[in-house]
């Protein structure tokens, strides 16, 4: 009764109606779309029938995990505005430039591979596929392992529930059961359609919540509070005065930007989306549109923590925040306490209705990300580890059964991992080092495999092994050091490095290994036209040239080709103009700050402009993408109704790799 009483105390019937309404809508969508999951290709990649807006919104929602939101809340609460500025390179500029160019994603879709490791078999060898598939799966489930615990932690803190293991277990079971049901029933089709629906709901909600919080907290209150609680070289407003910050300093941001470019598309948490596009052009446009989709998210993950910081530290709110301060202080684990502070403050800041909406947003974010990750890691284990080792193929029904059982196995693992693993650092650092087990070497194998005919299978092996070994050693040393600190200075230094820097050196080691070993070895015989289905190897149903008009040099320079319709060009040029303005502004302001001593008051005005620009842009793009994505869902279901099952389209590579 105590548990029920606490929940009812914070959420009334209006809040519960919102939460339950969103859940019921998702269940109906899953049950309806499950009828189209009739083949392995449909289960793994929605039969490659998705268009850009559906891909953009759904893939974005899959990435907007509850743990990701909590990660940003944690970082922005600790680091303030400077993290936003330096994170522009990692989260906006680099992905957008690479996405607009079609870097990696365009050529990967041309290969028609259902998983990244299938491409590795096509480009390198079957043995390398099995090894890289296992490594991707191992890295993925390890990285995925803390998601249930962090997600459950949000609801414990947000609902004011007792902070006990039985409560955590109950919440994890509920959340994981919903995610497993979605994935188990409908595969990538159900995952993608429900992720889209949740994405639209979440975009609308986070815009409303952000507007509400900015109305409740005066901008001068925010700036004065954040200025009063930092020294001159660990500013929470001025991004060029952060050298004294403990973790989020200049070197952190530089390393983060490098890794973002290097591992682009190598992380396979949403691998179904990489293969789900109707053709390579739609894959490219879907990825490119993220530059506009990110408006609302950028505003939300900044507005919530800075308002929470003001609420918890400004004297004007001392009376209102007193209970929240007591709750945070009662959390004995310092790491968990840093994750909980924004969540607890948020509960005390929001009124009825918005409390339920945020609860539904975080639940949707957890389920959308969790079902996508369950689908990815469960599929990768079967597709890239189990089946390549078999000499004989299996029938469709048996194949689908294995995929579903593998997904269930991943759910059991992360449930147990969340119970027993001790988190010792920021979520972002944990993501970096666990992800680097695979991405440290995969970045080299992808880039070299798609663009460099000189890259060899031996080079790919070297890169993958070096990246994995360095990352695993870093994780092991950190865990040992946390339990029993090292006396050896070298081991102590390595174990004391945060996860991002360990991931950075893992990537550097892998790059050097790939290049050196490839150059030393014999030049391989690689036919990129065959691999990418170009020229005489092209597939008629995927030819996408829509114009015979000559493309001028300026259009070619910015990435426009004959795949673009007139409307595509308009949208693409808008994206290019916007990101160009962002880059010019980022570089220009950075250079100016290195030359001139810009006062903190200038940055206070800048951040005010940035927040409102993001909010207004988020409101407009939410409307745009809702309309475009709704039409895309209708077209997806129409294509699936007419699709013909190809039993050979199951992820096998018939003729092996290039070596």
């Amino acid at each position: 009764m105590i548990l029920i009483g606490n929940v009812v105390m914070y959420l009334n019937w209006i809040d519960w109606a919102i939460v339950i309404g969103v859940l019921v809508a998702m269940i109906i969508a899953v049950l309806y779309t499950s009828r189209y999951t009739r083949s392995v290709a449909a289960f793994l990649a929605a039969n490659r029938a998705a268009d850009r807006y559906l891909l953009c919104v759904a893939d974005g929602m899959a990435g907007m995990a509850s743990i990701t939101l909590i990660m940003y809340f944690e970082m922005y609460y600790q680091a303030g505005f400077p993290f936003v500025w330096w994170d522009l390179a990692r989260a906006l500029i680099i992905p957008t430039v690479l996405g607009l160019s079609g870097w990696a994603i365009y050529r990967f879709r041309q290969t028609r591979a259902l998983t990244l490791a299938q491409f590795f078999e096509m480009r390198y060898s079957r043995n390398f596929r099995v090894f890289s598939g296992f490594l991707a799966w191992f890295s993925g489930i390890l990285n995925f392992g803390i998601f249930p615990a962090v997600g459950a932690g949000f609801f414990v803190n947000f609902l004011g529930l007792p902070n006990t293991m039985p409560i955590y277990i109950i919440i994890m079971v509920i959340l994981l059961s919903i995610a497993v049901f979605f994935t188990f029933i409908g595969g990538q089709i159900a995952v993608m359609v429900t992720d889209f629906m949740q994405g639209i709901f979440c975009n609308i909600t986070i815009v409303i919540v952000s507007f509400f919080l900015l109305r409740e907290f005066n901008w001068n209150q925010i700036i004065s509070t954040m200025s009063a609680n930092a020294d001159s070289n660990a500013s929470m407003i001025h991004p060029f005065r952060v050298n004294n910050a403990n973790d989020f300093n200049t070197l952190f941001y530089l390393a983060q930007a490098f890794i973002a470019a290097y591992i682009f598309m190598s992380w396979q948490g949403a691998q179904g989306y990489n293969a789900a596009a109707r053709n390579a052009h739609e894959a490219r446009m879907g990825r490119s549109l993220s530059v506009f989709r990110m408006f609302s998210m950028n505003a939300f993950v900044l507005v919530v923590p800075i308002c929470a910081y003001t609420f918890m530290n400004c004297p004007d709110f001392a009376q209102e925040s007193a209970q929240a301060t007591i709750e945070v202080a009662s959390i004995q684990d310092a790491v968990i306490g840093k994750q909980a502070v924004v969540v607890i403050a948020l509960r005390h800041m929001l009124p009825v209705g918005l409390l339920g909406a945020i609860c539904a947003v975080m639940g949707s974010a957890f389920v959308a990300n969790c079902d996508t990750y369950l689908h990815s890691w469960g599929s990768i284990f079967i597709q890239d580890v189990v089946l390549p080792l078999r000499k004989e193929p299996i029938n469709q029904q048996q194949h689908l059964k294995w995929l579903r059982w593998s997904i269930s196995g991943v759910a059991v693992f992360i449930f147990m991992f969340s119970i027993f693993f001790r988190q010792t650092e920021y979520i972002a650092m944990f993501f970096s080092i666990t992800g680097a087990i695979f991405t440290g070497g995969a970045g080299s194998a992808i880039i070299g495999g798609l663009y460099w005919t000189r890259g060899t299978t031996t080079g790919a092996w070297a890169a993958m092994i070096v990246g994995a070994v360095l990352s695993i050693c870093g994780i092991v040393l950190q865990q040992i050091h946390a339990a029993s600190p090292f006396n050896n200075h070298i081991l102590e230094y390595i174990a004391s490095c945060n996860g991002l820097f360990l991931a950075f050196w893992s990537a550097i080691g892998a790059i050097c290994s790939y290049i050196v070993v490839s150059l030393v070895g014999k030049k391989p015989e690689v036919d990129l036209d065959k691999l990418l289905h170009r020229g005489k190897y092209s597939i008629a149903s995927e030819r996408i040239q829509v114009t015979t008009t000559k493309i001028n040099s300026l259009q070619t320079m910015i990435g426009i080709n004959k795949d673009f319709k007139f409307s595509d060009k308009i949208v693409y040029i808008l994206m290019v103009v916007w990101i160009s303005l962002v880059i010019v502004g980022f570089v220009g302001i950075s250079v100016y700050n290195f030359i001139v001593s810009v006062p903190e008051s200038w940055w206070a005005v800048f951040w005010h402009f940035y927040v409102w620009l993001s909010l207004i842009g988020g409101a407009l793009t939410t409307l745009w993408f809702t309309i475009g994505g709704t039409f895309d869902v209708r077209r997806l279901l129409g294509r699936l109704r007419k699709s013909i099952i190809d039993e050979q389209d199951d992820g096998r590579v018939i003729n092996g790799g290039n070596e």
Side-chain angles (χ1 to χ4, degrees), residues 19 22-23 26 57-73 144 147-148 150-152 154-155 175-176 178-179 182-183 191 194-203 205-206 269-270 273 297 300-301 356-374 414 431:
V19 173
V22 171
L23 178 60
M26 296 307 105
V57 175
D59 191 12
M61 186 63 198
M64 194 182 82
S66 57
I67 191 171
T68 304
L69 293 176
I70 294 168
M71 176 188 75
Y72 276 112
F73 292 167
F144 193 19
F147 282 44
V150 176
F154 167 83
F155 290 101
L175 293 173
L176 282 173
I178 296 171
F182 284 13
T183 316
V191 166
T194 54
D195 283 1
F196 169 75
M197 294 172 63
Q198 292 173 106
I200 295 303
F201 167 76
C202 289
N203 283 341
T205 300
I206 63 181
Y273 287 99
M297 169 64 92
F300 179 71
V301 297
I358 283 296
C359 194
V361 164
M362 296 301 288
S364 295
F366 180 90
V367 172
N369 177 259
C370 194
D371 61 19
T372 302
Y373 270 38
L374 287 170
I414 63 172
F431 279 0

Side-chain angles (χ1 to χ4, degrees), residues 46-305:
N47 224 32
R48 303 187 188 89
D51 289 315
R52 64 191 68 174
Y53 294 107
L54 172 58
L55 287 168
C56 181
V57 175
D59 191 12
M61 186 63 198
M64 194 182 82
S66 57
I67 191 171
T68 304
L69 293 176
I70 294 168
M71 176 188 75
Y72 276 112
F73 292 167
E74 179 184 33
M75 291 189 296
Y76 287 175
Y77 189 90
Q78 298 296 325
F81 291 106
F83 190 95
V84 182
W85 178 258
W86 295 112
D87 201 45
L88 281 174
R90 179 201 65 83
L92 178 61
I93 294 174
I94 291 173
T96 302
V97 170
L98 296 179
L100 287 170
S101 68
W103 174 255
I105 187 64
Y106 188 92
R107 290 197 174 195
F108 176 79
R109 177 57 185 82
Q110 284 184 307
T111 69
R112 289 181 56 83
L114 290 172
T115 63
L116 180 63
Q118 182 186 350
F119 157 67
F120 284 159
E121 180 178 356
M122 297 160 67
R123 175 60 174 84
Y124 299 114
S125 70
R126 176 164 296 181
N127 287 338
F128 185 68
R129 174 183 186 171
V130 174
F131 175 73
S132 60
F134 175 80
L135 207 58
W137 172 80
F138 176 73
S139 172
I141 62 172
L142 201 62
N143 181 277
F144 193 19
I146 66 170
F147 282 44
V150 176
F154 167 83
F155 290 101
V156 166
N157 293 309
F158 190 72
L159 299 175
L161 301 174
N163 194 356
T164 63
M165 183 55 70
I167 299 299
Y168 270 81
I169 290 174
I170 291 171
I171 295 175
M172 287 194 290
V173 168
I174 294 172
L175 293 173
L176 282 173
S177 297
I178 296 171
V180 170
F181 171 73
F182 284 13
T183 316
F184 202 92
I185 295 296
Q188 180 63 17
I189 298 171
V191 166
M192 188 158 57
V193 172
T194 54
D195 283 1
F196 169 75
M197 294 172 63
Q198 292 173 106
I200 295 303
F201 167 76
C202 289
N203 283 341
I204 294 171
T205 300
I206 63 181
V207 168
I208 293 172
V209 169
S210 298
F211 274 114
F212 171 81
L213 289 175
L214 287 176
R215 190 195 69 177
E216 292 296 303
F217 293 89
N218 181 278
W219 190 255
N220 290 331
Q221 288 176 319
I222 294 173
I223 294 300
S224 61
T225 303
M226 300 185 78
S227 297
N229 290 278
D231 65 56
S232 60
N233 283 308
S235 175
M236 298 188 72
I237 297 173
H238 201 305
F240 294 85
R241 297 174 183 171
V242 295
N243 289 330
N244 285 358
N246 291 331
D247 289 294
F248 304 110
N249 51 37
T250 305
L251 288 177
F252 171 88
Y253 300 126
L254 292 174
Q256 190 182 53
F258 168 81
I259 291 175
Y262 172 69
I263 69 170
F264 185 74
M265 214 203 81
S266 62
W267 184 243
Q268 295 300 291
Q271 64 89 22
Y273 287 99
N274 293 335
R278 182 162 55 91
N279 52 48
H281 180 63
E282 289 300 309
R284 176 185 181 184
M285 293 298 290
R287 186 62 63 94
S288 300
L289 283 166
S290 64
V291 65
F292 291 146
R293 174 186 52 76
M294 291 168 61
F295 274 123
S296 55
M297 169 64 92
N298 289 343
F300 179 71
V301 297
L302 173 60
V303 168
V304 169

Side-chain angles (χ1 to χ4, degrees), residues 26-46:
M26 296 307 105
I27 292 174
I28 292 172
V30 168
L31 294 175
Y32 179 79
T33 56
S34 63
R35 69 187 70 182
Y36 300 111
T37 307
R38 300 174 294 151
S39 67
V40 172
F43 189 92
L44 292 177

Side-chain angles (χ1 to χ4, degrees), residues 601-622:
S601 58
W602 186 93
W603 280 100
V605 175
F606 173 84
W607 291 123
H608 200 193
F609 169 78
Y610 172 89
V611 166
W612 282 105
L613 176 66
S614 298
L615 268 178
I616 294 171
L620 294 174
T621 54
T622 295

